[in-house]
Amino acid sequence: GILFCNKAFEAIGYKNALVVKDAPDDPDFDGTDGRHNVVRWIMSRNSAYAVAWFRPSPVTGEILNAAVTVDANYPASALTEFKTEVLGVTRRPWIDEWYEMSIARTNIDRALRGTGYRKVACDHAHELMDEGRYGFAALQASGLPVDAKEYADILVADLIAHEVGHCLGLRHNFAASTLHPSQKLKDFDTVSKLGVASSVMDYTPVNVAAVLAGNKGYYNPTIGAYDLWAIQYGYGDVPGTTMQEEVEGLSAIARRSGEPGLMYLTDEDADGVNPLAVRWDLGQDLLGYLKDRATADRLIQNYAVTKATGVNEPYTVRNGLILRTIRGRYRSASTASRIVGGVEFRRQFKGDSGEVPTLRPVAAAKQRDAMRYIIQNALLADLDDLPQNVLHGLSQNPDIGGAEYIAPLRQYIGMQQRVTLGQLTNQDKIFQITENAFKTKNEADRYTLTEHYNMLFSAVFAEIGQNKSIAPLKRDLQRYFVTILIGQSTGNAGMVNDDARMICSAALGRIKTRISQQLAKSDSLDEITSLHLQDLNGQIDRFLKRQATLPPN
């Protein structure tokens, strides 16, 4: 992992720029001495993390020396369900894992305080450890032979390369994961030569496409095109004897930003409306990656139900894997929601190679596909694929307590479905959709607010008027959606988008009509469905009557 970057330095004329040696067997050796750049392995009781440190010049900002700290629990914890198997049976895993990690980090912080080191703000290591567990479970579920040590070695090399990249001055690049189409991610030769992403500085998950295809391209085995480019810019010799001549040389390198693999989007660009800057995604097609992830989830779930538990073993591992796939479904839905109303922002200047618009809305067809995915995999999800004995056996390990734990799946799934619906109907999302549609001249390329709400109406209220019983999760979701519609219908000018207000108000009238027609045939419904529809009808009716008595805005 340390030596990955030599590929970049060799490209600019520096052979063996990085050399790795074991620390001397000397009790007086000081890893914080400014003459050494070190990767230090420490041993805590049960933490698993990694962090990059560097000591910059206070005058020039030049990195004078650097270090990476890795907890020795990391390889093992990346292969197991850490919270249950590594922490032991007498501990409170969710609390104690984070407590122990914070204590270990605090001790390192104290040791390096006053030495001039600065810590890089990076959450890569902990999430990569979780990805390691997920990938290992997917490999076991696929039935393919897997060498645990080899898998851990590849994972740790990727981890170290990322942290060493920070020590060399490289920032995160969350666009690097968009390098390959899904088919290329399945190709071991491509991944071996180019990496799974164009940079080790992305937060790159396990390559699920490779796992499903049965090859070993799980993580980055090399640095990518962006890393080569960034190190050329930061460390390469630039022609010229004056500052202006050097600036011109550096600008010529920087103008390559539009070439394949060189897109750069960092921390300030992530977690917003840009689906190109997503943490823990992989591939040019974000939705395709999420669909591959759903396929792996199904494999893991089937493995958990049929093979994960041996004779004389508790069901802890099985249940942990099942709950992981349920959680993953809603995490994927949240990621997919960024496509809806999304804007592809790029850090490009005029004259850059391959220049494209810097604020381009996501194609309407992609937004519709994302909505269909979210509706099917999150809003309409149920537990029909889990056997009855599993649903009645989702207990925790009895040796760690939790006698009152009842695996509240309706509560959890219902909450996640409401969160998903809230993400798709909040004012920021409405603003994004209407803004994108306003800026798109070709009508066929627009994803409109009317279309957006109609897709949600059709999914959430599908059973009303069909003489069908309404399942518990759907009843919960319908109640929540009616509350949203009422809230958006009553919003004052400037507080709620006027188009959304009119759409929601009209929708409530249509829903009331359908409910009234259905209640006229209530003999065909079960009692709880009938009561649910009466409750919705009364709620909407009270709102409409109240609205009729209010003066115009």
Side-chain angles (χ1 to χ4, degrees), residues 7 179-180 185 190-198 219-224:
K7 179 180 178 180
L179 175 65
H180 296 304
L185 287 169
T190 296
V191 169
S192 298
K193 294 174 184 175
L194 303 177
V196 299
S198 65
Y219 302 98
N220 280 305
T222 179
I223 60 171

Side-chain angles (χ1 to χ4, degrees), residues 1-2 4-5 156-166 200-201 223:
I2 300 169
F4 278 7
C5 283
V156 172
D158 192 353
L159 165 73
I160 296 294
H162 179 99
E163 303 301 341
V164 168
H166 281 313
V200 293
M201 302 312 297
I223 60 171

Side-chain angles (χ1 to χ4, degrees), residues 163-484:
E163 303 301 341
V164 168
H166 281 313
C167 293
L168 292 171
L170 273 62
R171 294 194 66 192
H172 293 137
N173 181 5
F174 297 122
S177 56
T178 64
L179 175 65
H180 296 304
S182 181
Q183 282 301 117
K184 289 293 185 182
L185 287 169
K186 298 176 183 178
D187 180 48
F188 185 63
D189 289 338
T190 296
V191 169
S192 298
K193 294 174 184 175
L194 303 177
V196 299
S198 65
S199 174
V200 293
M201 302 312 297
D202 204 335
Y203 285 6
T204 309
V206 62
N207 182 1
V208 174
V211 171
L212 296 176
N215 72 49
K216 295 181 180 180
Y218 313 133
Y219 302 98
N220 280 305
T222 179
I223 60 171
Y226 170 81
D227 302 316
L228 293 166
W229 180 54
I231 287 176
Q232 179 193 13
Y233 184 91
Y235 290 89
D237 294 328
V238 180
T241 57
T242 67
M243 182 178 294
Q244 184 57 40
E245 289 173 341
E246 288 187 357
V247 168
E248 291 173 0
L250 290 171
S251 295
I253 297 172
R255 280 195 294 272
R256 295 178 53 207
S257 69
E259 293 181 14
L262 302 190
M263 182 164 48
Y264 168 68
L265 296 166
T266 191
D267 295 79
E268 293 84 355
D269 309 309
D271 307 320
V273 301
N274 188 359
L276 299 175
V278 177
R279 305 172 203 259
W280 304 109
D281 72 319
L282 191 58
Q284 291 177 0
D285 180 6
L286 176 57
L287 195 59
Y289 161 72
L290 296 176
K291 290 177 180 178
D292 281 347
R293 193 89 175 187
T295 300
D297 282 346
R298 288 191 290 271
L299 279 175
I300 291 172
Q301 184 173 294
N302 182 64
Y303 167 78
V305 171
T306 60
K307 298 180 181 178
T309 306
V311 176
N312 294 325
E313 293 179 349
Y315 287 106
T316 309
V317 172
R318 180 197 72 176
N319 295 345
L321 290 173
I322 290 171
L323 294 174
R324 173 189 288 270
T325 62
I326 293 173
R327 289 194 303 271
R329 175 186 300 166
Y330 293 100
R331 178 173 175 171
S332 292
S334 179
T335 300
S337 71
R338 297 176 60 171
I339 300 172
V340 183
V343 179
E344 296 179 349
F345 163 69
R346 291 172 170 83
R347 290 173 173 256
Q348 284 202 301
F349 291 176
K350 184 176 180 179
D352 285 358
S353 61
E355 186 179 353
V356 298
T358 56
L359 286 175
R360 184 166 61 185
V362 174
K366 288 186 177 181
Q367 295 187 61
R368 295 184 190 106
D369 285 346
M371 281 295 291
R372 285 189 283 267
Y373 171 86
I374 295 168
I375 288 169
Q376 189 62 42
N377 289 276
L379 295 183
L380 301 184
D382 53 38
L383 298 175
D384 289 346
D385 52 349
L386 287 176
Q388 182 67 80
N389 68 311
V390 172
L391 290 173
H392 285 177
L394 290 172
S395 56
Q396 294 178 328
N397 188 331
D399 292 328
I400 62 172
E404 296 180 357
Y405 177 73
I406 59 168
L409 289 185
R410 176 177 175 180
Q411 179 186 21
Y412 175 77
I413 294 173
M415 176 186 70
Q416 293 298 327
Q417 289 181 337
R418 293 190 291 276
V419 167
T420 301
L421 185 58
Q423 289 176 329
L424 295 172
T425 56
N426 65 42
Q427 292 306 302
D428 288 339
K429 185 67 68 181
I430 291 169
F431 170 79
Q432 292 161 216
I433 293 171
T434 54
E435 184 69 15
N436 285 349
F438 177 74
K439 293 175 180 174
T440 304
K441 292 186 175 182
N442 187 348
E443 187 175 354
D445 294 335
R446 292 185 201 136
Y447 179 76
T448 66
L449 198 61
T450 304
E451 179 180 6
H452 180 69
Y453 272 104
N454 284 341
M455 291 183 78
L456 291 174
F457 298 151
S458 297
V460 176
F461 299 110
E463 295 87 351
I464 298 178
Q466 301 296 319
N467 295 323
K468 292 181 178 179
S469 297
I470 302 176
L473 287 172
K474 183 60 76 67
R475 296 198 302 270
D476 295 342
L477 195 60
Q478 288 177 356
R479 279 190 287 269
Y480 184 65
F481 202 4
V482 166
T483 301
I484 290 174

Side-chain angles (χ1 to χ4, degrees), residues 51 53 102-114 119:
V51 62
W53 303 81
S102 68
I103 291 296
R105 285 178 169 172
T106 300
N107 289 338
I108 293 294
D109 288 351
R110 288 172 177 166
L112 294 178
R113 188 175 298 158
K119 181 169 63 174

Side-chain angles (χ1 to χ4, degrees), residues 475 479 519 522 525-538:
R475 296 198 302 270
R479 279 190 287 269
L519 288 173
S522 60
L525 300 176
D526 62 272
E527 183 178 5
I528 194 64
T529 297
S530 180
L531 290 172
H532 165 69
L533 292 177
Q534 291 174 41
D535 182 67
L536 283 186
N537 192 53

